[in-house]
Amino acid sequence: MKPFAYVRATSLREAADAYSSHPGSRYLAGGTNLVDLMQLGVETPGTLIDVSRLPLDEIRELPEGGLRVGATVRNSDLAADPLVRTRYPLLSRALLSGASGQLRNVATTGGNLLQRTRCGYFQDLSKPCNKREPGSGCGARDGLHRDHAVLGHSEHCIATNPSDMAVALAALDAEVELYGGTGTTRTVPAAEFHRLPADRPEQDTVIRAGEIITAVLLPPAAPGAVSLYRKARERASYAFALASVAVVLDLDPDDGRVRLVALAFGGLAHRPWRATTAEELLTGAVPHPDAVRAAVDAELAQARPLRDNAYKIPLARNLACDAIAELAGTHPGSPAAP
């Protein structure tokens, strides 16, 4: 590991000022991703600015019924919070699907969002990677890529975002609150916080230099809506999603038509993929299995699978259709199923 300086910030302004005055610096909270990458030599910051002791570790109910989740709230605490489990069960389930219990006890809300979108080639200094070294090429395109993106990728990068939490936040219409070095604050929709790679794969998010995530803002849960997070992976724990889906669904009690649906995929793209085409087709429709499958297929028609990862398309389709059927009561064997 290369030498680095360490600054323990006592305020947001101090953290922002330290960042701007130390070129090549990084913010440090739980460090579960950053420290790993430093040990591999992928990340070599000159200065670590410790923000873990800033007063950002509170989950607070907002006047209109939403929640404000501080950036340093631990993943395990967020998953176990009674209001989260009651109002946003898909978020709790997504968090519990990620990493291991030990990592969730250390990882933070802001750090989870800022973990690098990556693959094995990014972490191997002997291999080309445009994300690690722009212009060096993408070793995964002609190499091992069965776990890689099928949506929104480019010739420069086919890595997938690893965060389960981010997929849930995208479906929940959450916002990410950011503090800038000038003392200003702005919010970004969670579904737009991460970027598609295009020709700048080294930029994972829309966060600006020196900005700090201060909170995640959850809107009030829709009355009567139900939600679910489902994840397919190669082993039961400590594995990134091959494909995952977060669903929020609200049906009209009179005619059973969809009043509200939010659908986001994980494991398919460089960012959580909000399935707006499927949502538009399902809104106002009766969620019959054939209609659901047609809507999901219309969304996945945008996929561009590579040599070894076409299996992700039927996997994602089946996950989404099964999750919606379970929430709508049309799953085979459900008491409400026809």
Side-chain angles (χ1 to χ4, degrees):
M1 183 177 290
K2 295 184 178 180
F4 57 88
Y6 174 82
V7 176
R8 180 179 294 175
T10 59
S11 69
L12 284 171
R13 187 55 184 264
E14 182 181 349
D17 288 347
Y19 188 97
S20 62
S21 61
H22 294 83
S25 57
R26 294 287 188 275
Y27 292 121
L28 173 71
T32 55
N33 181 220
L34 176 59
V35 174
D36 280 350
L37 295 178
M38 290 175 64
Q39 291 173 333
L40 292 171
V42 176
E43 290 276 6
T44 56
T47 304
L48 290 183
I49 302 168
D50 188 344
V51 296
S52 64
R53 291 167 177 81
L54 297 183
L56 302 173
D57 59 350
E58 181 184 17
I59 301 172
R60 177 163 52 86
E61 187 173 11
L62 299 174
E64 72 278 8
L67 290 181
R68 186 180 192 277
V69 180
T72 61
V73 171
R74 305 294 173 176
N75 286 179
S76 55
D77 293 334
L78 183 57
D81 184 82
L83 290 177
V84 172
R85 294 179 63 186
T86 301
R87 299 179 187 178
Y88 314 98
L90 85 164
L91 177 56
S92 180
R93 188 163 180 174
L95 285 160
L96 294 174
S97 297
S100 64
Q102 295 93 330
L103 285 175
R104 291 194 297 269
N105 287 339
V106 177
T108 62
T109 300
N112 188 302
L113 289 173
L114 288 176
Q115 63 179 306
R116 295 304 306 267
T117 298
R118 60 198 186 274
C119 75
Y121 291 87
F122 173 72
Q123 299 180 145
D124 186 344
L125 297 180
S126 69
K127 301 294 192 297
C129 174
N130 288 317
K131 180 178 289 294
R132 189 186 66 246
E133 186 180 348
S136 63
C138 175
R141 290 197 67 88
D142 295 321
L144 299 174
H145 57 238
R146 70 178 301 273
D147 298 341
H148 290 60
V150 295
L151 288 165
H153 57 80
S154 74
E155 63 178 308
H156 302 287
C157 183
I158 57 174
T160 58
N161 183 277
S163 174
D164 295 285
M165 183 188 77
V167 181
L169 294 179
L172 288 169
D173 289 321
E175 293 185 324
V176 181
E177 182 183 88
L178 301 165
Y179 174 88
T182 60
T184 58
T185 299
R186 68 182 180 114
T187 58
V188 176
E192 299 173 15
F193 180 72
H194 295 93
R195 297 179 64 256
L196 294 178
D199 60 352
R200 298 295 302 276
E202 70 275 14
Q203 296 183 353
D204 291 342
T205 73
V206 298
I207 196 168
R208 298 166 185 165
E211 283 187 323
I212 308 169
I213 296 177
T214 49
V216 167
L217 307 175
L218 292 165
V226 288
S227 65
L228 184 64
Y229 183 77
R230 187 156 289 171
K231 176 180 181 179
R233 48 190 166 179
E234 290 187 330
R235 57 182 185 272
S237 66
Y238 203 65
F240 294 150
L242 299 173
S244 66
V245 64
V247 185
V248 180
L249 185 68
D250 182 27
L251 301 181
D252 190 310
D254 295 326
D255 59 14
R257 294 183 180 275
V258 175
R259 292 193 300 198
L260 167 71
V261 61
L263 176 64
F265 287 109
L268 303 186
H270 198 261
R271 69 179 184 189
W273 187 271
R274 185 68 184 260
T276 54
T277 298
E279 291 173 359
E280 290 174 3
L281 292 172
L282 287 172
T283 301
V286 175
H288 186 276
D290 290 342
V292 172
R293 182 183 179 92
V296 173
D297 279 345
E299 185 69 46
L300 295 175
Q302 304 172 64
R304 294 180 291 124
L306 301 168
R307 182 192 65 232
D308 297 329
N309 67 356
Y311 74 93
K312 285 196 170 192
I313 299 173
L315 178 60
R317 175 197 303 124
N318 292 340
L319 282 173
C321 291
D322 194 62
I324 293 172
E326 181 174 334
L327 292 175
T330 58
H331 195 283
S334 167

